[in-house]
Amino acid sequence: MTADDRPIGRVTRCSTRGFVGAVRLPEPQWPVFGTFCRAEAQQGQSQVIGLIYDLSIEDDELARQLAASEAIRPEQLADSQVNRQVPVEYRALAVGYWNGAGFTQSLPPQPPLTLAPVHRLSDEQVRTFTERLDFLPLMLSVPEIPVDDLMAAAIKSAAAVRPESERRGYLVRAAAEIARLLGRDLTRLESLLRAVRP
Amino acid sequence: MSLNLPQLITQLENMGSALAEQQAALRRLLPAARKAFEHAAGMTPEALDAQVQRAGDRYRGARPASEPLLEAFSAPPLEGGLVVAGADGSQVYPDRHAAALYFVVQVGGLAMEIGSGLAPQTRTRPHIFYLPEDLHDQDGHPIGNAMVNGRRDAEEMSALADWAEAYAGRPFVALLDNGLLLWFALQVREQNRKDVDRILQAYLGHLDRLKAGGGCVAGFIDRPRSADVLALAHLATLPPEKVNDQALRANPYRALTDRALFSELLEPGQRSACFIDSSPLNRDFDAKGHEVRFFYLMTDARRTIARVEVPAWVAEDEIRLGRVHAAILDQCPATGGFPYVLVRAHELAVVTQQDRDQLEGMIQRRLLESNLAGQVSQKATTKRWTRSRRRHRL
C-alpha cells in the first residue's frame, strides 16, 4: 500500500479499538468526520483502517487572546488564519486492516505504532475496502461514540467514490444490511435510513 | 516524588506576608527616588556629565544622552508601508548523557507589512552543531550553556539583518525579544576571549547590515529589573567631593527598579528620554558605531512598562526613533502590552520537550544506521523511568 497523499497527522495514542491522531494544519486541510484513514502497524506489515469520528481543536491561548482583543490588525488575523497551524486532534475507530494481500473487516491484530503517520485512504482504497459491509456490525458494537451518524457518514462517503451509476445500488445494499442489523430497533433504523437516503 | 506542596504551605504563608512588607517599603521609598531623579533632571547637562565622569569606570548606572531627562515623548503617527519584523531563538543545550554530543539553535521570525492586510512572511531556521570545534572552546574544554546562548543571540540578529536586507528601501523596524547587549559575553569573556570575540564581531556585523539596509532595530525587555536610571539619580544627589565607590554602593534606591519610577512619570504610549548604558561591553559596541541606548515605554493602558534598547544611530535619528516607538505601540494592543511579532517569533522558534525527545530518537536511529552505538547514559535512562508519575486508578 503506497502513500497517496500527505499525512494528516501522527498517532499519539492507540489501542486495538482505534487510535488518536494529532496534527497541526491550516483549517482547509483538516480531515472531516467519517474520513477513512490508515496508520501503519506491525512494523509496516499491516495498516490499520480507521474511521475518523471525533475532531477537536486543542486549547490555544493566543487565539483566545486575539479573539478577545478589540485591536487586532488585519495582518495579525491573516497570520492566525493562514500561517498558524491549528493543533487538531482526532479519534479514529478501527474498522479493519490491510495485511499486504487485502483488506479484512475486523479488529486489527495489533494497534498502530506511536507516531505512525496517518493517511487518508485514496478513493480507490475506499472503494475496495467498502465493497464488503462487514465493518458495519463492528461499528455497532462500540459504545460511547456517535455510531449512527458515523455509519451514515461512512456509507455516504463510500457511495460518493463510486461511479454515478453504482451509487444508488450501493446505498440500497448498505440500507438492507442496516435493516438486517437493526431490525429490532425500528426507531433507530428509520433515523439511519433517512440519513443515508440518496 | 513530586514537589511536596503540603510541607510548603507554612513557608508560602510567610513568603506572602514578607513580600507584602517589601512592597510597602518600596512604595515608601519611591517619592524620595522620584525627587532625586527630578534633582538630576534639574542639573545642567555639563554638571551631570561631570558627576558621571567623577564616578569613573566603576559606575554602573545610566549616562544621560541628549534629551531632557524628565520629558515624556508621544509617538509619531505610524508610517505607511512600514514593515515590522521580529525574531526569537530557542536551543537544545549539549548534554553528555544524550546519545551524542551536540547542540541545536533554532531561530524563528516573521515580517509583517503593516496596512497590507496580508499574512506576514514567516521563517524558521534550525541548526545542529556537532563538530568538535563547535563543542569545545579555545582551550579544548566542553563549551557551556552561555556560549550556546551567545550563538543563538547572534543567529537572531542575523535573521533580523536578513529581513532588513530583503526590505531595504522601505521603512523597517526589527524587534528582538531581549536587550541588544550580548550579556553572555560579560559572563564568559574572561575564560573564552577568542571565542566570545568571534561571536561578538559576527553580531556587530549583523548590526552593520541592519544599519546599511536603512532599517531600525530595537531590543524589547518586558518587566525590566534594571535600576540604571535610579543609580544616576543617586549619583546626582551626592556632593561632588563625596563621589567614591563606597558612596555609589550606598544607593538607597537599589531595591527599586526604573520600572517603578517611570510608571509614575509616563502615560500610556509615552516613552522616556534616551539614556546610555554604562556597561563595559558597550565600549565594544561604541567602537563599531552601535553604542546601546535605552528608554522606557508605557506600552498600554494597563501601565505596562518595558525597556527598549536601540543603537545610537537609531536614538540620534528622530525619524528612526519615532518609527521604533510607533511600531512597538502598534504591535502591543492585541497581545496585552507585548509586541505581537515577538509572541509569534517565540512560537515559531520554540523547541518543546516533545521535539527534543523526537530529535533524540532520530539521532539514535541515524547513529545505528552508521553502526555507532548511540545510546543515552544509564543515568538519563533511569531519569526517564521515573519522569512520569505513576497513577493508580481507584
Side-chain angles (χ1 to χ4, degrees):
Chain A
M1 183 172 278
T2 56
D4 51 274
D5 59 1
R6 283 175 298 170
I8 51 170
R10 289 185 180 274
V11 174
T12 57
R13 299 193 297 281
C14 47
S15 74
T16 310
R17 277 288 192 184
F19 53 89
V20 175
V23 68
R24 295 181 78 91
L25 285 174
E27 191 268 342
Q29 294 169 35
W30 294 356
V32 297
F33 181 81
T35 300
F36 282 94
C37 62
R38 60 185 170 84
E40 189 179 289
Q42 294 181 294
Q43 300 187 346
Q45 291 177 49
S46 68
Q47 301 268 338
V48 177
I49 309 301
L51 252 179
I52 291 175
Y53 67 88
D54 186 27
L55 284 116
S56 57
I57 311 298
E58 287 177 37
D59 195 19
D60 180 352
E61 292 191 41
L62 177 57
R64 251 191 289 156
Q65 165 69 29
L66 295 176
S69 170
E70 292 172 3
I72 183 167
R73 277 207 150 275
E75 297 81 25
Q76 293 165 347
L77 193 62
D79 185 34
S80 275
Q81 292 174 337
V82 178
N83 290 335
R84 289 194 74 227
Q85 297 190 329
V86 179
V88 181
E89 190 178 85
Y90 51 85
R91 290 165 191 274
L93 177 71
V95 289
Y97 62 96
W98 181 82
N99 61 6
F103 289 111
T104 303
Q105 296 191 347
S106 69
L107 290 180
Q110 271 184 12
L113 302 167
T114 306
L115 297 181
V118 183
H119 291 267
R120 287 184 178 89
L121 249 57
S122 68
D123 289 355
E124 179 58 39
Q125 288 162 350
V126 172
R127 209 157 40 233
T128 310
F129 179 77
T130 54
E131 198 50 48
R132 292 174 60 87
L133 294 165
D134 297 339
F135 66 96
L136 297 179
L138 201 61
M139 293 172 69
L140 279 175
S141 64
V142 182
E144 295 174 2
I145 71 165
V147 170
D148 294 1
D149 290 327
L150 183 61
M151 202 180 273
I155 290 168
K156 282 202 279 194
S157 62
V161 297
R162 289 176 156 74
E164 183 77 44
S165 58
E166 294 177 18
R167 280 182 199 163
R168 187 178 176 81
Y170 182 80
L171 288 172
V172 169
R173 188 156 67 89
E177 178 65 10
I178 293 170
R180 191 180 69 77
L181 294 168
L182 292 176
R184 291 182 184 171
D185 188 346
L186 293 177
T187 313
R188 195 174 165 195
L189 175 62
E190 187 189 359
S191 159
L192 239 173
L193 290 179
R194 197 175 292 129
V196 298
R197 193 161 51 196
Chain B
M1 187 69 187
S2 55
L3 185 61
N4 194 331
L5 293 171
Q7 284 195 20
L8 278 179
I9 288 173
T10 312
Q11 294 176 57
L12 290 175
E13 284 168 359
N14 294 340
M15 181 181 168
S17 49
L19 291 181
E21 279 171 30
Q22 275 179 35
Q23 279 296 320
L26 292 178
R27 270 197 300 273
R28 286 195 293 275
L29 203 56
L30 198 54
R34 180 174 175 165
K35 207 170 162 188
F37 181 60
E38 285 166 355
H39 173 75
M43 293 170 72
T44 63
E46 295 77 20
L48 191 55
D49 201 44
Q51 193 78 332
V52 171
Q53 295 301 325
R54 274 183 215 106
D57 285 348
R58 273 166 292 187
Y59 169 65
R60 291 287 173 271
R63 286 192 286 128
S66 54
E67 293 171 324
L69 300 193
L70 260 183
E71 196 159 334
F73 300 84
S74 295
L78 204 65
E79 288 165 276
L82 178 69
V83 179
V84 182
D88 196 16
S90 188
Q91 69 291 313
V92 179
Y93 292 120
D95 178 4
R96 64 194 170 93
H97 295 290
L101 203 56
Y102 64 91
F103 68 91
V104 175
V105 167
Q106 175 161 282
V107 172
L110 71 161
M112 182 180 284
E113 297 181 40
I114 305 296
S116 69
L118 300 172
Q121 288 191 50
T122 61
R123 207 177 279 167
T124 303
R125 290 201 301 215
H127 192 169
I128 185 162
F129 299 86
Y130 54 86
L131 296 173
E133 55 267 34
D134 294 323
L135 299 166
H136 297 88
D137 65 16
Q138 60 200 49
D139 300 320
H141 299 129
I143 60 162
N145 293 352
M147 289 293 288
V148 176
N149 293 343
R151 295 193 80 145
R152 181 203 59 210
D153 293 348
E155 294 272 334
E156 289 172 2
M157 192 54 80
S158 168
L160 289 176
D162 289 347
W163 286 121
E165 287 175 343
Y167 286 103
R170 290 183 62 170
F172 177 85
V173 173
L175 296 180
L176 195 65
D177 184 9
N178 215 338
L180 286 188
L181 283 173
L182 271 180
W183 285 108
F184 98 97
L186 275 182
Q187 290 172 284
V188 293
R189 197 170 198 180
E190 289 312 308
Q191 306 97 291
N192 302 95
R193 181 164 288 273
K194 217 166 109 186
D195 297 320
V196 169
D197 282 349
R198 199 179 62 236
I199 294 173
L200 181 60
Q201 292 313 313
Y203 184 87
L204 292 168
H206 299 316
L207 277 172
D208 287 340
R209 288 203 289 139
L210 259 156
K211 185 182 178 186
C216 311
V217 62
F220 185 92
I221 304 171
D222 187 34
R223 198 176 279 192
R225 297 281 311 156
S226 52
D228 295 341
V229 175
L230 286 167
L232 177 68
H234 168 60
L235 174 64
T237 58
L238 294 175
E241 67 282 6
K242 291 201 173 161
V243 175
N244 55 44
D245 287 357
Q246 195 183 356
L248 287 173
R249 274 198 299 273
N251 177 358
Y253 317 123
R254 65 193 315 169
L256 280 173
T257 58
D258 291 348
R259 181 160 53 100
L261 176 69
F262 285 104
S263 67
E264 291 209 336
L265 297 174
L266 300 175
E267 291 301 321
Q270 289 182 329
R271 72 164 175 88
S272 71
C274 280
F275 298 88
I276 301 169
D277 192 301
S278 66
S279 161
L281 191 59
N282 210 1
R283 284 185 219 126
D284 292 271
F285 279 67
D286 189 23
K288 292 282 186 178
H290 303 299
E291 183 185 61
V292 173
R293 311 275 174 97
F294 66 90
F295 59 84
Y296 288 93
L297 174 65
M298 186 170 280
T299 60
D300 65 0
R302 293 188 303 176
R303 308 191 73 77
T304 308
I305 295 281
R307 173 171 160 138
V308 179
E309 296 188 352
V310 290
W313 46 269
V314 170
E316 288 170 356
D317 180 331
E318 195 181 337
I319 292 174
R320 279 177 151 160
L321 187 59
R323 192 176 285 161
V324 166
H325 186 174
I328 293 177
L329 286 184
D330 181 66
Q331 285 291 310
C332 283
T335 34
F338 188 83
Y340 178 88
V341 288
L342 293 183
V343 176
R344 285 282 289 123
H346 171 77
E347 187 180 38
L348 290 164
V350 72
V351 180
T352 64
Q353 186 58 47
Q354 195 184 4
D355 296 334
R356 283 161 211 240
D357 292 345
Q358 269 185 266
L359 174 66
E360 188 67 13
M362 287 166 70
I363 288 172
Q364 284 185 34
R365 281 195 294 280
R366 187 58 63 187
L367 290 175
L368 278 173
E369 284 166 19
S370 304
N371 295 319
L372 293 169
Q375 286 187 330
V376 299
S377 74
Q378 190 59 20
K379 177 176 172 173
T381 305
T382 56
K383 280 190 172 179
R384 205 167 50 209
W385 291 346
T386 55
R387 191 167 62 188
S388 54
R389 211 180 298 176
R390 291 186 68 186
R391 293 175 200 280
H392 298 280
R393 288 195 182 141
L394 297 175

